[in-house]
């Protein structure tokens, strides 16, 4: 073989560097979250005294639990609605031909790129007037909007790959259109829908601009916004340990999720590109 | 898990579904129908507020002085362009965007070339590389602030010694570092898609013809990648121009206005200065700038990916 051990070693070294680059900050924060207040600043990579106090602290008050519930609820509802509406749109794009299709897709993608910050002030005023400010729907509405183009784009890439002739074949075999759809097409479409749902959920979960400007209390404040208050309020007590713990709690599920479904997520992120 | 999805549903749906079948040959508007709810919804939620923004931008309106709202024409735009802070924020935005896009694309290209090779544990390495992209951006920003740049706990000082307060001495560079860390995976994934799209035969042919690795890379891979690179740059630029979390959480635009970018300045003007008119004018300016870049990005997307490809 042409590949020498020297070259292999070099690639292995590059690998290690890359993984360290991507992961070091993450491991460091995990380490900080297990340190006691006294050893926080000692600079040891592995905590000398292990403690779960930081985790106990964040779950002791509503300051973290309530935003966590808000985040989960808001992101889940927004994802469900966006995926259902997105499926209808993607079906139309993948299956039906009509004039102006390209323009419609263009418009929806343009909306995805629309600077959110320029909508914040009017949304704030409109939502205050309608009584939506600082409520769940107040965040769900803008999230659906910005998640939809993403959902439509990913879903239509997946839908294009479905062998739709199977639907016809099932009907010839005597299935009703409903049966053909639910028994044949739905199972084939499920992975794509699922991937899209994950991506949309992460998108809603990550948002900060709307979360910080369209909420004011724990009634609807989500985790990213709540995190910023972690830093602000504790001038006298050093919050590094608690912030680290909070960051671990909200990051670990996503990372595990991704490890678990990584093939699908990568397929989703590069959808269209791979086959294009 | 997967087998159960098909079983329990059929009876109720089969009654509802036939309604759509006979309409197959209906006019084009019926065919557009499934697309309309999504489209109307997005347009309503983005364009109505945007029109409101445009309207506000022609008003002099400060929430601190109730009843001060009145029409002033383009005065806000004149004021905004005369405002040295706005120009500073503009400059910071351009700097932040150009540097971050460039650096993260270079890193992304390197990582993509690495991931395109087959080696043991490739999928694990790939997951680890995309991790920064999946971490809550707000958490990522705080993480860098408290664990990397902090003068006492920061890994940078622990690692290299000294007690530099990175965020106040090099605010913009620090923010850039975090943004690059966050966006490199995105670039990697896009470029990797481009790499995996190139035909193996051509590469083999080049090898047979005696082209070296660099030669192959420069004359085959790079031209093939150029569209993906352009797309990565444009999409990256659109999102990085609008970065807000990192600046809000790491530096609050400071010290002074050293790291204020446009989105943060707009937010500050609206939510801390209560100057609705001027912040809206700035919002309109950002929208116009983004749309210019976005149009290029869209054209490229349509050429690179088969976005609208229909029934085969």
């Amino acid at each position: 073989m042409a590949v020498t051990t020297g070259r292999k070693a070099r690639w292995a070294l590059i690998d290690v560097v890359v993984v360290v680059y991507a992961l070091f900050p993450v491991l460091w924060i995990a380490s900080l979250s297990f340190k006691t207040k006294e050893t926080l600043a000692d600079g040891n990579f592995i905590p000398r005294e292990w403690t779960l106090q930081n985790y106990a602290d964040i779950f002791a008050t509503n300051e973290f639990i309530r935003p966590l519930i808000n985040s989960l609820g808001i992101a889940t509802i927004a994802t469900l609605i966006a995926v259902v509406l997105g499926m209808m749109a993607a079906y139309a794009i993948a299956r039906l031909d009509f004039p102006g299709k390209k323009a419609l897709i263009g418009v929806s993608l343009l909306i995805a790129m629309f600077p959110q910050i320029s909508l914040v002030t009017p949304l704030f005023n409109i939502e205050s007037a309608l009584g939506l400010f600082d409520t769940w729907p107040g965040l769900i509405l803008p999230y659906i909007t910005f998640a939809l183009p993403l959902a439509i784009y990913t879903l239509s890439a997946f839908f294009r790959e479905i062998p739709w002739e199977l639907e016809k074949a099932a009907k010839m075999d005597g299935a009703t259109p409903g049966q053909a759809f639910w028994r044949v097409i739905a199972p084939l479409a499920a992975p794509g829908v699922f991937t899209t749902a994950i991506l949309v959920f992460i998108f809603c979960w990550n948002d900060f601009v709307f979360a910080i400007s369209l909420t004011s209390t724990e009634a609807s404040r989500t985790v990213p916004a709540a995190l910023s208050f972690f830093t602000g309020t504790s001038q006298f007590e050093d919050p590094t340990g608690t912030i680290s713990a909070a960051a671990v709690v909200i990051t670990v599920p996503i990372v595990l999720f991704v490890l678990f479904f990584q093939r699908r997520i990568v397929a989703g992120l590069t959808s269209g590109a791979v086959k294009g | 898990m997967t087998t159960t999805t098909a079983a329990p549903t059929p009876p109720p749906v089969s009654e509802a579904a036939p309604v759509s079948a006979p309409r197959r040959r209906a006019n084009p508007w019926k065919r557009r129908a499934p697309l309309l709810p999504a489209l109307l919804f997005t347009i309503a939620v983005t364009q109505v507020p945007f029109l409101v923004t445009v309207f506000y931008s022609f008003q002099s309106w400060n929430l601190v002085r109730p009843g001060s709202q009145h029409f002033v024409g383009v005065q806000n735009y004149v004021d905004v362009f005369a405002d040295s802070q706005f120009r500073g924020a503009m400059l910071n935005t351009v700097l932040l965007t150009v540097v971050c896009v460039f650096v993260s694309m270079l890193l992304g290209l390197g990582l993509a070339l690495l991931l395109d090779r087959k080696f043991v544990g490739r999928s694990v390495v790939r997951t680890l590389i995309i991790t920064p992209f999946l971490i809550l951006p707000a958490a990522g920003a705080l993480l860098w602030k408290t664990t990397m740049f902090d003068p006492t706990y920061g890994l940078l000082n622990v690692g290299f010694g000294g007690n530099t307060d990175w965020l106040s001495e090099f605010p913009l560079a620090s923010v850039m570092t975090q943004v690059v860390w966050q966006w490199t995976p995105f670039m990697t994934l896009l470029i990797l898609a481009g790499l995996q799209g190139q035909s193996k035969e051509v590469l083999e042919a080049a090898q047979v013809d005696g082209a070296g690795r660099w030669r192959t890379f420069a004359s085959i891979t790079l031209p093939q990648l150029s569209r993906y690179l352009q797309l990565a740059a444009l999409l990256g630029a659109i999102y990085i121009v609008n970065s807000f979390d990192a600046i809000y959480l790491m530096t609050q635009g400071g010290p002074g206005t050293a790291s204020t970018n446009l989105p943060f300045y707009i937010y500050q003007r609206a939510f801390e200065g209560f100057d609705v008119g001027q912040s809206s004018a700035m919002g309109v300016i950002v929208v116009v700038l983004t749309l210019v870049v976005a149009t290029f990005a869209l054209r490229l997307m349509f050429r690179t990916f088969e976005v609208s490809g229909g029934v085969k």
Side-chain angles (χ1 to χ4, degrees):
Chain A
M1 291 296 280
V3 185
T4 60
T5 30
R7 172 168 287 166
K8 261 192 185 157
R10 213 162 60 207
W11 279 106
L13 187 73
I14 298 176
D15 270 9
V16 172
V17 171
V18 162
V19 171
V20 164
Y21 151 83
L23 225 58
F24 212 56
V26 184
L27 291 177
W28 180 242
I29 209 165
S31 150
L32 281 180
S33 74
F34 288 113
K35 286 183 175 182
T36 58
K37 287 214 162 49
E38 295 73 40
T39 57
L40 209 50
D42 65 0
N44 264 22
F45 197 74
I46 294 161
R48 272 185 297 192
E49 285 172 66
W50 291 77
T51 174
L52 287 174
Q53 191 55 45
N54 291 320
Y55 291 90
D57 282 351
I58 57 169
F59 283 108
T61 63
N62 253 349
E63 216 183 324
F64 184 68
I65 299 177
R66 184 64 213 188
L68 199 59
I69 296 170
N70 289 338
S71 261
L72 284 172
I74 290 172
T76 309
I77 296 173
T79 304
L80 281 178
I81 300 176
V83 168
V84 169
L85 289 179
M87 267 165 73
M88 291 161 64
Y91 176 81
I93 288 169
R95 288 274 281 152
L96 310 175
D97 255 325
F98 50 83
K101 186 158 92 168
K102 217 169 178 180
L104 285 181
I105 303 168
V107 168
S108 80
L109 287 172
L110 264 184
I111 287 172
M113 300 169 184
F114 208 83
Q116 306 180 342
I117 190 76
S118 63
L119 301 181
V120 159
T121 316
L123 273 178
F124 175 85
N125 288 340
I126 294 171
E127 293 200 348
S128 304
L130 296 177
L132 286 173
F133 176 72
D134 199 24
T135 62
W136 278 25
L139 280 182
I140 291 172
L141 285 175
Y143 285 178
I144 296 174
T145 317
F146 282 95
L148 262 177
L150 175 70
I152 293 175
Y153 178 66
T154 331
L155 279 170
S156 53
F158 278 113
F159 280 6
R160 268 205 323 266
E161 301 303 321
I162 293 176
W164 292 96
E165 310 84 58
L166 285 181
E167 192 184 24
K168 219 180 268 171
K171 275 187 213 151
M172 299 243 273
D173 289 345
T176 66
Q179 279 171 334
F181 182 78
W182 285 102
R183 290 246 166 116
V184 179
I185 297 301
L188 285 173
V193 173
F194 186 68
T195 308
T196 309
I198 296 177
L199 291 176
V200 168
F201 184 88
I202 294 178
F203 173 86
C204 301
W205 177 257
N206 280 352
D207 168 76
F208 182 75
V209 179
F210 291 127
I212 195 83
S213 45
L214 297 180
T215 66
S216 62
T217 65
E218 278 173 8
S220 69
R221 186 177 287 149
T222 58
V223 172
L227 274 183
S228 76
F229 287 92
F230 265 44
T231 46
T233 49
S234 21
Q235 263 179 322
F236 305 107
E237 198 188 326
D238 184 36
T240 306
T242 29
I243 292 178
S244 309
V248 170
V249 170
I250 53 179
T251 303
V252 165
I254 300 265
V255 173
L256 286 181
F257 214 52
V258 170
L259 269 175
F260 208 63
F261 298 110
Q262 71 149 317
R263 209 158 289 249
R264 286 196 176 158
I265 291 178
V266 172
L269 284 175
T270 57
S271 61
V274 189
K275 290 279 156 63
Chain B
M1 243 179 77
T2 40
T3 45
T4 52
T5 45
T9 30
V13 190
S14 54
E15 282 160 16
V19 187
S20 62
R23 287 197 199 151
R24 267 286 152 73
R25 230 173 294 112
N27 68 51
W29 279 105
K30 288 256 166 65
R31 303 195 135 205
R32 290 193 188 98
L35 198 61
L36 289 179
L39 204 69
L40 291 179
F41 189 89
T42 43
I43 290 177
V45 181
T46 55
Q47 296 316 297
V48 172
F50 178 62
L51 289 179
V52 177
T53 305
V54 175
F55 170 72
Y56 286 165
S57 74
F58 294 113
Q59 308 276 316
S60 166
W61 186 11
N62 195 313
L63 295 177
V64 180
R65 298 187 299 273
S68 68
Q69 187 179 3
H70 61 277
F71 181 78
V72 289
V74 295
Q75 189 56 42
N76 283 323
Y77 291 90
V78 175
D79 288 347
V80 163
F81 280 111
D83 176 3
S84 66
Q85 282 197 39
F86 173 79
R87 286 189 308 236
M90 190 87 143
L91 185 70
N92 280 342
T93 311
V94 172
L95 260 177
L96 183 81
T97 311
V98 171
V99 172
C100 290
V101 167
F102 185 71
V103 175
S104 60
M105 251 177 64
L106 269 187
L107 288 173
L109 179 62
L111 292 181
L113 285 172
L114 187 76
L115 285 179
D116 195 35
R117 310 169 59 86
K118 285 206 168 64
F119 56 87
V120 182
R122 177 167 77 155
S123 64
V124 176
V125 171
R126 186 173 62 187
T127 312
L128 296 182
I129 284 177
I130 60 173
T131 310
F133 192 55
L134 299 159
I135 284 179
L136 190 69
L142 281 179
L143 192 144
W144 275 82
K145 179 187 180 186
T146 52
T147 67
M148 300 301 282
F149 295 132
D150 192 275
T152 29
Y153 311 109
L155 208 50
L156 282 179
N157 286 342
V158 172
F160 300 114
N163 52 356
T164 320
D165 189 352
W166 297 88
L167 284 175
S168 43
E169 280 182 46
F170 311 100
L172 200 58
S174 304
V175 171
M176 283 174 183
T177 313
Q178 197 273 336
V179 173
V180 166
W181 178 76
Q182 186 106 44
W183 281 93
T184 303
F186 172 79
M187 302 292 184
T188 311
L189 282 174
L190 250 180
I191 297 172
L192 188 61
L195 280 178
Q196 290 176 343
Q198 60 183 343
S199 88
K200 294 280 175 293
E201 289 92 48
V202 177
L203 288 180
E204 270 166 30
Q207 221 166 28
V208 171
D209 289 346
R213 288 145 125 313
W214 280 111
R215 188 69 204 284
T216 317
F217 178 73
S219 28
I220 296 177
T221 309
L222 216 50
Q224 139 94 18
L225 272 187
S226 74
R227 271 212 227 151
Y228 286 85
L229 290 174
Q230 287 174 39
L231 186 65
L234 284 170
L235 288 180
I238 289 167
Y239 288 105
I240 293 173
V241 161
N242 288 303
S243 39
F244 177 76
D245 324 22
I247 287 167
Y248 184 97
L249 290 165
M250 288 170 78
T251 64
Q252 285 279 329
T257 55
S259 59
T260 301
N261 72 346
L262 274 182
F264 186 74
Y265 192 49
I266 293 173
Y267 176 87
Q268 235 181 359
R269 255 346 225 310
F271 285 80
E272 286 160 28
F274 303 108
D275 192 332
V276 177
Q278 280 200 18
S279 79
S280 301
M282 289 191 271
V284 173
I285 294 170
V286 172
V287 168
V288 171
L289 291 179
T290 312
L291 285 188
V292 172
V293 186
T295 323
F296 283 108
L298 271 185
R299 271 215 212 126
L300 205 63
M301 258 172 112
F302 276 117
R303 265 194 288 145
T304 310
F305 302 142
E306 203 196 334
V307 181
S308 58
V311 199
K312 276 179 242 160

